[in-house]
Amino acid sequence: VNYFKAVGQSTPAHTLGTPGWLPWMMEEQKATREAVALYDQTSFSKLLLQGRDALAVLQRLCANEMDVPVNKMVYTAMLNERGGFESDLTVIRQQPNAMGERFLIVTGSAQTVRDFDWISRHIEPHEHAVLTDISPLYSVLSIMGPKARELMARVSPDDLSPEALKFSWTKLIDVGFARVRAARMSYVGGPGFELYVPVEMTRHVYHALQDAGRDLGLRDAGYYALDALRIEMGRRAWGAEIGPDETPYEAGMMFAVKLGKPTDFIGRAALLARRGQVLRKKLVTLVFETPEHYAWGGESILVNDQTVGEISSAGWSPRAGVCLGLGYVRGDAVQAVHDGTPAIVSLWGQHVSVRMYDRWPTETR
């Protein structure tokens, strides 16, 4: 679901300007930032890698350190030999079983086949590791917002305090009559939990959350709100900000790479060779100066009447009260961009003023 219509309202007309659904989406954003919102992220791809050599396979494929304690989540780049992204993944180390090590790999909705193929063909013949697509077995319900923990305390007897469940960790908990894996994680920034629910228990868990959250301001929220809020927080997305031709240096994602980890990984040599070199392109945040203009992504970025790049993603920012974009700049603009550098965006033939930032003040990790 992209957005939820207001009660009694008809579907708005399509437009190339400010969309008719924007006020409804803004209410979803407000709930996410000020109360609590429920997002259905079941479209995540979910792969299970297990076996004696599962860790060795991931250490070779993933740029981040994968040898972490059980129940830890790791967000990692998966690179090619040129140092470009083949994917970005979240990996949860699970309790070993009779088959050996077990890792739940969570990746984007459109990456299931691609990531399954990339991982499968990099498992060496002598390695004992089995990859299985378990996407249909689990739904993902995300509870995001400052009242997320209060809501979870109403539906689960388990301790989900920051001390009991630290950021980027998971634990098995009870929610109503369901046993789910709770991850302390929020794609849009701020407090939140991702719940990995056996698909047959999804309806039960959803209704338990709705019943418990009514007086907290719980609101269903869609993918338009999710995408706009992740842009506001500087989260990169596959196919927009990252792909095979973008490196972690260019995308500003070296936090998803551990160059010094004890095992080698695909792409490490290329990153070491580029370390300290001038970037050929760089991802920046663009902040529109007036709220009247609405961008969709793909628009050209101009500096001194010269095209220097394009917007990769755009969305409405509730904090700024204007549209925000992420985009790449190239050439001399790479060195020229500072916090607040003026630029122009070509929007349907009209030149619109924006400011470019290496790191917009609300971006957080």
Side-chain angles (χ1 to χ4, degrees), residues 56-64 76-87 118-124 127 248 256-259 261 263-272:
V57 171
L58 285 179
Q59 285 285 58
R60 186 171 66 250
L61 289 177
C62 297
N64 213 336
T76 179
M78 192 163 65
L79 307 174
N80 53 41
E81 294 287 357
R82 304 186 308 278
F85 281 88
E86 286 299 324
S87 189
W118 181 265
I119 296 170
S120 295
R121 56 194 173 91
H122 284 87
I123 299 175
E124 300 293 340
E127 290 180 312
V257 175
K258 289 289 187 293
L259 284 174
K261 75 175 188 176
T263 58
D264 197 13
F265 60 87
I266 297 172
R268 181 175 181 269
L271 293 184
L272 289 173

Side-chain angles (χ1 to χ4, degrees), residues 145-163:
K147 296 182 180 180
R149 186 155 68 92
E150 184 178 353
L151 171 57
M152 290 302 299
R154 296 182 178 187
V155 297
S156 176
D158 295 273
D159 185 359
L160 295 176
S161 66
E163 296 76 24

